[in-house]
């Protein structure tokens, strides 16, 4: 069947489906897979792990070491680069407290998304234009190309660091619990997709998500820099407004349009055509569906903010996930940025 899928792919990319086709074909494939699974359960799961999961202990150790490296690098960048920059630019105290977090995330996501873009558009990988091809030629324990393995190492270790950062470094927000769940789900997806050699679809997932984080942190940085040194800077204000608009549009287009119609369609429907007995089909699709629901949850914040702007309740950009000053007494402050907090709280991402 994998060979047949490859042959079919040589005739040209399959047209992207509609939402209705996604639901109809994806749900139909899932029901058929459930009916055809005679021995589904923990026994099958244990056999699947033993037969199909390939993850060496040194690889996990390297992942953990890189996560520690990200944490150390963030600490150094915050104390030696971001805080001095905030002081030199004379940011307002509340903005100076939040700027290092946004600057750190902006730099990472910009680099990560640029690399994913290179893999999908600067090489021969056809995954973006032909998503079903992510399962063509799939084999247990197949080799992971080095360029994709590098992306997995960087992203997996960063999300390991991000779990710690959400709990102990970042400002605590109204959606921090959901953010923590998101980081755990993402890390599980990265590690398990690497172990089961679903790395091709993994690169597509990362590409479709990281662009929103780039635009979010870019917008927040311009919000922080538009009022500094006792004056208002129109260029940063304009960049913040344009960034907010671009962020809102890209969130819908990349995460709620392309992600389900490219990724979910490939994993729920096309995967079974190429590999009828593909391992952990329900596990991976359940996690990807959970990721979609979280994307919808955060999209509600975007819609809520847009509604407040249109009704005149908000006159300038503000993260609606932040606690009001009156609410800032109960949430815990950021430990890494505590000296600059000045008793104020918050803001954040994807």
């Amino acid at each position: 069947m994998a060979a047949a899928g490859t042959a079919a792919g040589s005739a040209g990319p399959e047209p992207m489906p509609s939402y209705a086709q996604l639901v109809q074909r994806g749900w139909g494939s899932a029901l058929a897979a459930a009916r055809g699974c005679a021995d589904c359960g923990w026994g099958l799961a244990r056999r699947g792990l033993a037969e199909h999961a390939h993850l060496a202990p040194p690889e996990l150790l390297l992942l953990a070491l890189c996560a520690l490296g990200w944490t150390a690098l963030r600490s150094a960048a915050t104390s030696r680069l971001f805080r001095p920059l905030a002081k030199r630019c004379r940011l307002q105290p509340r903005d100076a407290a939040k700027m290092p977090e946004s600057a750190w995330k902006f730099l990472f996501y910009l680099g990560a998304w640029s690399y994913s873009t290179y893999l999908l558009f600067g090489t021969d990988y056809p995954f973006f234009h032909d998503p079903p091809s992510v399962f063509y030629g799939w084999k247990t324990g197949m080799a992971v190309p080095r360029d994709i393995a590098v992306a997995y190492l960087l992203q997996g270790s960063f999300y390991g660091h991000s779990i710690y950062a959400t709990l102990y470094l970042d400002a605590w927000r109204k959606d921090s619990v959901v953010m923590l769940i998101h980081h755990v789900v993402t890390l599980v997806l990265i590690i398990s997709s690497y172990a089961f050699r679903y790395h091709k679809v993994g690169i597509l997932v990362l590409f479709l998500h990281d662009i929103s984080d780039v635009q979010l942190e870019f917008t927040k940085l311009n919000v922080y820099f538009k009022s500094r040194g006792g004056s208002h800077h129109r260029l940063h204000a304009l960049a913040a407004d344009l960034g907010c608009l671009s962020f809102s549009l890209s969130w819908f287009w990349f995460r709620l349009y392309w992600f389900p119609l490219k990724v979910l369609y490939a994993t729920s429907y096309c995967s079974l055509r190429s590999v009828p007995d593909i391992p952990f089909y329900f596990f991976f699709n359940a996690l990807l569906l959970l990721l979609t629901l979280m994307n919808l949850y955060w999209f509600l914040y975007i819609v809520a903010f847009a509604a407040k702007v249109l009704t005149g309740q908000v006159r300038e950009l503000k993260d609606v996930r932040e606690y009001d000053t009156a609410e800032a007494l109960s949430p815990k402050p950021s430990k890494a940025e505590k000296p600059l907090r000045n008793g104020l709280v918050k803001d954040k991402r994807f």
Side-chain angles (χ1 to χ4, degrees):
M1 283 296 292
T6 305
S10 63
E14 181 177 339
M16 196 166 67
S18 64
Y19 286 112
Q21 290 173 323
L22 166 64
V23 173
Q24 180 183 9
R25 296 173 184 176
W27 180 250
S29 297
L31 286 179
R35 295 192 192 100
C37 188
D39 58 345
C40 286
W42 288 112
L44 179 62
R46 286 194 295 268
R47 291 195 304 273
L49 282 172
E51 296 174 6
H52 301 291
H54 292 77
L55 187 63
E59 292 175 316
L60 285 175
L61 178 60
L62 180 60
L63 187 75
L65 291 175
C66 287
L68 293 175
W70 284 121
T71 304
L73 183 60
R74 172 173 175 171
S75 178
T78 297
S79 61
R80 299 187 180 185
L81 178 61
F82 301 142
R83 284 178 182 167
L85 179 62
K87 183 177 181 180
R88 182 175 181 179
C89 294
R90 294 188 294 167
L91 298 186
Q92 296 182 13
R94 62 177 183 180
D95 295 332
K98 295 181 288 187
M99 189 276 281
E101 178 186 340
S102 289
W104 165 255
K105 293 176 181 177
F106 172 75
L107 291 176
F108 172 80
Y109 286 118
L110 179 61
W113 184 74
S114 298
Y115 187 57
S116 299
T117 302
Y118 161 74
L119 290 177
L120 291 175
F121 300 99
T123 66
D124 294 331
Y125 297 131
F127 312 143
F128 180 82
H129 299 291
D130 188 18
S133 67
V134 297
F135 294 105
Y136 296 165
W138 178 88
K139 295 180 181 178
T140 296
M142 62 189 294
V144 179
R146 182 169 297 181
D147 50 4
I148 293 181
V150 169
Y152 259 71
L153 176 61
L154 295 177
Q155 292 271 9
S157 60
F158 185 81
Y159 277 101
H161 150 77
S162 296
I163 293 174
Y164 172 83
T166 300
L167 290 171
Y168 300 108
L169 301 179
D170 297 346
W172 193 257
R173 305 179 180 89
K174 296 176 182 179
D175 68 335
S176 288
V177 173
V178 179
M179 182 66 64
L180 187 61
I181 296 173
H182 166 270
H183 292 338
V184 172
V185 169
T186 302
L187 182 59
V188 171
L189 275 170
I190 289 175
I191 294 176
S192 56
S193 64
Y194 178 86
F196 286 92
R197 300 306 190 251
Y198 299 147
H199 49 275
K200 298 177 182 178
V201 70
I203 290 297
L204 189 55
V205 172
L206 293 171
F207 166 78
L208 293 175
H209 282 77
D210 285 347
I211 181 60
S212 301
D213 293 293
V214 174
Q215 294 173 320
L216 173 62
E217 303 305 338
F218 171 81
T219 301
K220 288 163 61 176
L221 285 172
N222 279 282
V223 169
Y224 303 151
F225 277 87
K226 72 178 181 179
S227 298
R228 69 178 194 275
S231 60
H232 182 80
H233 296 262
R234 293 184 178 180
L235 181 60
H236 287 293
L238 177 61
D241 291 338
L242 293 177
C244 182
L245 177 62
S246 175
F247 164 72
S248 303
L249 294 175
S250 70
W251 187 284
F252 173 80
W253 195 262
F254 280 75
R255 297 192 179 203
L256 299 180
Y257 179 66
W258 271 345
F259 177 67
L261 298 186
K262 286 182 177 289
V263 174
L264 289 182
Y265 183 76
T267 58
S268 64
Y269 175 65
C270 302
S271 60
L272 292 174
R273 292 189 307 174
S274 297
V275 188
D277 297 321
I278 191 166
F280 281 75
Y281 168 85
F282 293 104
F283 172 78
F284 282 102
N285 278 287
L287 290 182
L288 291 171
L289 181 59
L290 178 59
L291 198 58
T292 304
L293 294 177
M294 286 189 284
N295 288 338
L296 283 169
Y297 167 81
W298 276 305
F299 189 65
L300 294 179
Y301 277 101
I302 299 174
V303 173
F305 177 77
K308 289 183 178 181
V309 171
L310 293 175
T311 56
Q313 300 179 48
V314 174
R315 294 186 177 273
E316 64 178 58
L317 290 180
K318 175 184 177 182
D319 194 330
V320 295
R321 297 167 305 165
E322 292 184 357
Y323 288 99
D324 296 330
T325 304
E327 298 177 289
L329 297 175
S330 56
K332 64 179 180 63
S334 166
K335 294 182 179 179
E337 298 157 7
K338 191 173 182 179
L340 290 175
R341 296 296 312 187
N342 197 25
L344 295 173
V345 195
K346 273 44 160 197
D347 162 33
K348 161 74 200 151
R349 157 199 264 267
F350 144 151

